Amino acid sequence: MHATISDVIADTAQNSIEAGAKRVTVSLTEDGATIAVEIVDNGKGMSEEVKRRVFDPFYTEAGKHDARKVGLGLPILKQICEECEGGLCLESEVGKGTTLKYHFNAKNIDLPPMGDIADMVLTLFNYPGDFELVFRHRKGAEEYEIARSELIDAVGSIESIEGLTLAKEFLASQEEALGK
């Protein structure tokens, strides 16, 4: 299910979009010792009961996924955090939104590979709905930030092959610049 850190980020950010958030901010920070992710949304939020149950693999919110009765995303995230000497924190309030923070020891032998960040961001930007998603990636002293609306303004529709190609090239160039 989660072969890479990118998969984990996509899964947890998708939860925010599915929760009806109009604004989602995803921050990925790499400092050499730690990989940290923070996802903040203004979606519907969670009740205290739901927050108590979200790490149970045999629970999923009613109506979220009609075809399945389990929710493995957050339980698997919790397991990865524990296996990689990391941790996670979930804060949520009904009607206000949710903040999910998680981190991993970047040097842990069990840490999944990073995966393709540019593809992950583009996949999230292409998720259907009327929402703004801001992605921020900091690696050491270098950083970039891009909003879904800014990317669409720059390349046109990211649903067309031309726009999709330009968007992918741009995001890949941003990721490459972080690696230098």
Side-chain angles (χ1 to χ4, degrees):
M1 178 175 183
H2 296 319
T4 67
I5 300 298
S6 296
D7 294 335
V8 173
I9 296 169
D11 182 61
T12 51
Q14 181 180 334
N15 288 338
S16 293
I17 298 166
E18 290 176 347
K22 293 297 180 192
R23 181 166 179 87
V24 180
T25 303
V26 178
S27 300
L28 169 61
T29 304
E30 301 176 73
D31 66 10
T34 304
I35 297 171
V37 177
E38 180 181 60
I39 300 170
V40 179
D41 73 51
N42 65 352
K44 65 182 180 179
M46 292 180 243
S47 68
E48 291 301 317
E49 179 180 342
V50 170
K51 284 193 291 188
R52 280 191 298 274
R53 298 186 70 192
V54 294
F55 295 105
D56 176 352
F58 300 105
Y59 171 79
T60 191
E61 190 175 4
K64 184 173 179 185
H65 301 286
D66 295 331
R68 63 180 204 229
K69 303 293 184 218
V70 297
L72 298 176
L74 289 175
I76 289 174
L77 169 61
K78 182 178 179 189
Q79 181 180 5
I80 294 170
C81 288
E82 290 169 355
E83 289 175 356
C84 297
E85 303 170 285
L88 68 118
C89 175
L90 175 71
E91 299 170 0
S92 189
E93 188 176 337
V94 173
K96 301 254 179 168
T98 300
T99 298
L100 176 65
K101 299 177 187 179
Y102 51 94
H103 66 277
F104 315 101
N105 175 342
K107 300 192 184 307
N108 187 287
I109 194 165
D110 292 321
L111 184 71
M114 186 59 72
D116 191 328
I117 298 294
D119 272 351
M120 179 269 300
V121 173
L122 197 51
T123 297
L124 288 172
F125 281 2
N126 264 311
Y127 205 84
D130 180 25
F131 64 92
E132 178 68 284
L133 190 142
V134 176
F135 179 76
R136 181 179 305 115
H137 190 176
R138 173 178 284 151
K139 192 171 187 179
E142 301 298 317
E143 174 180 15
Y144 77 93
E145 178 178 303
I146 185 73
R148 180 183 193 219
S149 60
E150 293 172 336
L151 189 63
I152 292 170
D153 286 347
V155 302
S157 171
I158 53 177
E159 295 174 4
S160 72
I161 192 67
E162 296 84 10
L164 196 58
T165 301
L166 288 171
K168 170 65 177 174
E169 289 172 357
F170 172 76
L171 291 167
S173 74
Q174 296 300 298
E175 284 298 315
E176 185 179 317
L178 289 179
K180 294 182 179 181

